Amino acid sequence: AQSVTQPDIHITVSEGASLELRCNYSYGATPYLFWYVQSPGQGLQLLLKYFSGDTLVQGIKGFEAEFKRSQSSFNLRKPSVHWSDAAEYFCAVGVGNYGGATNKLIFGTGTLLAVQP
Amino acid sequence: DGGITQSPKYLFRKEGQNVTLSCEQNLNHDAMYWYRQDPGQGLRLIYYSQIVNDFQKGDIAEGYSVSREKKESFPLTVTSAQKNPTAFYLCASRSPFPETQYFGPGTRLLVL
């Protein structure tokens, strides 16, 4: 069955420190992979996505993620965290083949990021 | 300004009452989705629609119903059969290739 695992429920980093959020997926075919960010009480904002090609993808707000097929991983990174990055982060895989399209997303349970001054 | 709107921001349901959550998009997307979010559980798919007048059940459709009469609109009704409706509800629409889902701001449903 398809699934997404985010092993870290909560992470705290200091402002200016580097960040890596882990994501592992289980999916039989070539995955479409996404990272979203959610501030409290808000909807989800797309940070970046991977469909094919270069395995290192750049996103908004200085984030990047690397697709590693051998490890079934799609970890999110940022070299220097800002206080405004405090939020919850969700990894997702696009699955299904209804009419040739990915018809739904499977989400991980999220990682809550706290940033210390 | 293109986007997805959801209303109301907060909704209160009384015992035995049906309530309807609104989702509208002006992105000209064919596909639309409803998710439910509970703390510690991520997002779970309730219903989705690939095109007008067509929709499919997701993973947790029991106690919910939808309609898709217009491309722009995909309302979700939480029926009295849904025994635990308190949650944050998120609507999304999907762009054509590269297929990407974009989310609205959400509606929080509370039970009185």
Side-chain angles (χ1 to χ4, degrees), chain A residues 14-95:
Chain A
S14 298
E15 192 168 14
S18 63
L19 171 70
E20 182 169 29
L21 302 182
R22 297 183 289 165
C23 173
N24 292 95
Y25 67 90
S26 173
Y27 185 55
T30 300
Y32 291 174
L33 295 161
F34 305 82
W35 275 99
Y36 289 88
V37 61
Q38 184 181 36
S39 297
Q42 304 296 314
L44 273 67
Q45 181 183 22
L46 179 70
L47 282 177
L48 48 77
K49 58 193 176 187
Y50 171 79
F51 285 86
S52 64
D54 194 347
T55 56
L56 184 64
V57 294
Q58 302 296 320
I60 61 170
K61 304 185 180 187
F63 285 92
E64 67 178 26
E66 186 171 13
F67 169 57
K68 293 185 177 180
R69 185 185 300 275
S70 61
Q71 299 178 20
S72 297
S73 70
F74 189 56
N75 294 349
L76 182 71
R77 300 194 294 249
K78 186 170 186 178
S80 178
V81 170
H82 187 262
W83 64 266
S84 60
D85 294 324
E88 191 157 23
Y89 292 80
F90 292 93
C91 180
V93 61
V95 302

Side-chain angles (χ1 to χ4, degrees), chain A residues 32 34 36 38 41-46 49 51 88 90 98 100-110, chain B residues 9 33 35 37 40-43 45 48 50 54 56 59 88 90 94 97-105:
Chain A
Y32 291 174
F34 305 82
Y36 289 88
Q38 184 181 36
Q42 304 296 314
L44 273 67
Q45 181 183 22
L46 179 70
K49 58 193 176 187
F51 285 86
E88 191 157 23
F90 292 93
Y98 182 88
T102 52
N103 62 6
K104 66 176 185 178
L105 294 176
I106 304 295
F107 283 87
T109 52
Chain B
K9 188 173 177 65
Y33 301 78
Y35 292 89
Q37 186 178 26
Q41 294 196 46
L43 279 74
L45 182 64
Y48 62 100
Q50 302 282 4
D54 181 59
Q56 285 78 40
D59 301 316
F88 192 51
L90 288 157
R94 191 191 74 219
F97 193 84
E99 295 139 5
T100 303
Q101 290 188 28
Y102 297 92
F103 286 80

